Structure formats: structure tokens, C-alpha cells
Amino acid sequence: MNMRSSCCAGAREQISLNNIQKQIHITPEIVKPSQDNMITIPGGTFSMGADSQEGFPADGEGPVRQVEIDSFQVSRYAVTNAEFKVFVDATGYVTEAERFGWSYVFHLLASEETRQHTSSRPQDVPWWLVVEGACWSAPEGPDSHIQDRMDHPVVHVSWNDAEAYCQWAEARLLTEAEWEYAARGGLERKTYPWGDLLKPDNKHRCNIWQGKFPVRNSALDGYIGTAPVDAYEPNGYGLHNMSGNVWEWCKDWFSPAYHRQTSARNPVYTRVTGKRSMRGGSYLCHRSYCNRYRVAARSSNTPDSSSGNCGFRIARSLK
Ligand SMILES: [Ca+2]
């Protein structure tokens, strides 16, 4: 079993499963994600990135620069378990977590029995359990299921799995720049999708961690794990949970030099770096440890990695 530590989610070593970009057999009559949940984001120019000291220098959140984005469509929510099930039922797709036979589960979410039978965890992020049988339909291992979580974001999907879903849905992942532009909801240089205060009017606006990470989560925001994709108020563009809940895979390869090396118009980092970008943070984020639930924050993982706190949303280009 191969693993490598990462702050935001455990990573698989690059032992790629050959031909992971499998043939997808499409059943045409199956209903695909409709336009109803897609929002058109009008193109424009915005200040991308952050220069504040809040971030991690190694992430390359800045320097802040002006970036121009063409209009595009984005899904109002992250892809749900219900939507992913339609895809799997239609295509027979098998996720990488299922092929590898394991995925990363946060220790407090696993059952007592699973914890007792799981000895493998990355040394420097020991709150991630390597749980055999954990996958999108059994998020905490074989003794768990998604029946009461069909409107939650699908998790334990790798970047490659997300790409496969997009191919089927005739969609694509957002570029990092599109993601941040959408997440800002029309606001300029704010920390969160709704403004600069984490809890305006003392109201929770996203699903992160309250308490002492990683041992005690008081879940004052209502959720210890994932929340339904439409939880909390949307941002100015009508998008839910751009901050917190689950990390969202983006199209780009990840590089700390992103802001220095990509163009000012529709940027996308295409040089192969071995890691794909993720945005938004998750229910495990806490200011004391990982405050990457800010809109300018960035993280990454290998494209075959999966964990219980990473999903994706979809985009479509406008003709
Ligand atoms: Ca929470």
C-alpha cells in the first residue's frame, strides 16, 4: 500500500493504474445533469489571488493580479451522490478508490470497528485512515452507505474519476481561475464568497471545523462530515458551498508558480507537475491548522488520489 502525506488529504503514490482513462459506455437514454442546475457566469476581469499573510507561502496564492475570464456555465452545487450514481449506473464506471481497494477516511468518521481494523495511516497526517473498501458508495468503509446522503457531494473520487464523469456529462472541470472568479460571487478582493467576516451576524456560512483539530469537532455549523450540497446561503452568483464542505478538483496542474507563469486571460496551468489543483477547503478545515477555506487558497493532490473530503463541480463553455 503506497501513501504519501499531504496536508489537506492523503495522497496515493503515482502507481498509476494503466489505462485509467477507461472507455465510457454511454447509455443515451439516461438523463444527464440538466441545464437547470447550471448558472451562467458573465465574463469579466477580477483581482485574482491574495497577498495577505493568512495563506501558506508555499501554496503560491499571489501575487494578486488582474485576470480576465470569458463567460461560462457552472453547476450551482458540487456533483451529488445521486448524480454520480446515475453516471455509474449508466456506464458501469469503476472509480479508482474501488480499483485500488481503499481510500482515505477521516478517523472520527469511521466506525469503532473500522478504526480497530485499520492500522495504516500516513505518519505526519495520522488522522487519515487507509480504509479498505472505502469508496464513493461506502464513504466510511464497507459498514457505511450513502442512502441518507444522496444530496451530499460525492467523495472518494479522484481527479481521473471527475474527468470521466465530465466526459459523460458533456461538461468539464473548472479552471482554477474560473473557480475563484465564480467563488467570489462578484465581490472584489474579499476573503470568503460572502465577504471578509467568517461568521457575519454570528451566522455560519460554510461547513468547516469547530473545536480542536483533529480530535474534537463541536460541529456548531451543523455538520461533522459532509453537508447537503445546497446547505447554507449561496454566494452572489447563486453558488453553494464554494468554501468548505468538500475540496473541488480543478482542471489545472498545480504549481506554486501559477500566478507568475499563466496568462492574464483565461489562464490554465498546463505544464505537467504530477499534482492537480483543488479549491475551496473542506469540513476538516480550521483556522488553527489549515485555513484554506478562503477563496484565494489553493491545494493539490495526485490525480489518482481520493479521500472523504474531496469532490468536484462541473462547468461548460459557452458557444
Ligand atoms: Ca462542520
Side-chain angles (χ1 to χ4, degrees):
M1 201 160 288
N2 293 275
M3 51 199 163
R4 184 171 57 199
S5 68
S6 165
C7 169
C8 303
R12 286 194 171 92
E13 292 289 2
Q14 283 291 76
I15 36 169
S16 64
L17 297 167
N18 287 335
N19 303 318
I20 194 66
Q21 303 288 3
K22 294 164 284 292
Q23 289 290 317
I24 311 249
H25 302 288
I26 294 174
T27 311
E29 67 271 22
I30 297 293
V31 177
K32 295 183 179 181
S34 70
Q35 297 293 330
D36 300 345
N37 284 330
M38 301 297 282
I39 289 182
T40 298
I41 307 292
T45 300
F46 76 115
S47 302
M48 185 177 180
D51 292 321
S52 76
Q53 301 304 305
E54 282 190 83
F56 301 85
D59 289 355
E61 291 183 15
V64 174
R65 60 184 175 135
Q66 294 300 298
V67 165
E68 186 183 353
I69 298 290
D70 289 345
S71 302
F72 65 103
Q73 286 192 318
V74 59
S75 55
R76 197 181 287 270
Y77 322 107
V79 172
T80 63
N81 284 319
E83 289 171 320
F84 200 77
K85 185 175 186 303
V86 173
F87 160 62
V88 168
D89 289 347
T91 61
Y93 184 82
V94 180
T95 61
E96 286 194 283
E98 292 166 286
R99 292 180 153 224
F100 280 104
W102 61 275
S103 191
Y104 286 107
V105 176
F106 185 70
H107 68 138
L108 294 186
L109 298 179
S111 69
E112 189 57 40
E113 194 183 342
T114 297
R115 269 182 274 187
Q116 282 175 358
H117 288 91
T118 304
S119 55
S120 190
R121 47 177 85 188
Q123 241 177 7
D124 41 2
V125 282
W127 46 87
W128 284 114
L129 304 181
V130 173
V131 174
E132 290 182 31
C135 67
W136 73 276
S137 58
E140 290 82 37
D143 61 355
S144 66
H145 58 76
I146 53 170
Q147 283 164 21
D148 55 354
R149 286 181 269 178
M150 296 310 281
D151 59 347
H152 286 221
V154 65
V155 290
H156 296 296
V157 283
S158 67
W159 186 92
N160 294 319
D161 297 331
E163 275 285 301
Y165 179 93
C166 286
Q167 184 191 332
W168 169 76
E170 294 166 347
R172 60 174 176 79
L173 293 173
L174 287 73
T175 66
E176 269 198 72
E178 286 173 337
W179 191 96
E180 185 172 323
Y181 182 62
R184 289 180 180 278
L187 301 177
E188 181 74 2
R189 293 194 183 223
K190 299 296 183 189
T191 306
Y192 306 110
W194 54 85
D196 278 332
L197 285 176
L198 179 59
K199 283 198 303 173
D201 303 323
N202 211 26
K203 209 167 144 191
H204 289 280
R205 294 292 302 265
C206 64
N207 180 16
I208 52 176
W209 179 292
Q210 293 86 39
K212 187 172 168 48
F213 187 87
V215 291
R216 187 173 46 80
N217 187 347
S218 57
L220 292 174
D221 58 23
Y223 304 94
I224 190 169
T226 56
V229 292
D230 62 349
Y232 308 102
E233 288 176 41
N235 74 358
Y237 288 145
L239 306 176
H240 289 262
N241 289 300
M242 295 301 281
S243 276
N245 213 17
V246 293
W247 283 101
E248 297 179 8
W249 289 114
C250 287
K251 190 179 184 63
D252 307 56
W253 288 102
F254 179 83
S255 169
Y258 170 86
H259 281 288
R260 301 182 190 280
Q261 293 183 350
T262 54
S263 65
R265 184 156 190 267
N266 299 317
V268 53
Y269 200 94
T270 54
R271 196 176 305 163
V272 178
T273 64
K275 287 186 166 188
R276 293 289 187 175
S277 296
M278 322 187 297
R279 288 299 201 110
S282 81
Y283 57 83
L284 295 181
C285 286
H286 185 265
R287 191 182 42 181
S288 70
Y289 184 76
C290 174
N291 63 2
R292 292 188 179 89
Y293 43 88
R294 295 167 294 106
V295 284
R298 316 173 62 219
S299 193
S300 64
N301 209 340
T302 57
D304 59 354
S305 292
S306 64
S307 61
N309 68 337
C310 187
F312 64 102
R313 78 177 66 210
I314 63 173
R316 290 194 181 103
S317 301
L318 291 171
K319 298 268 181 331

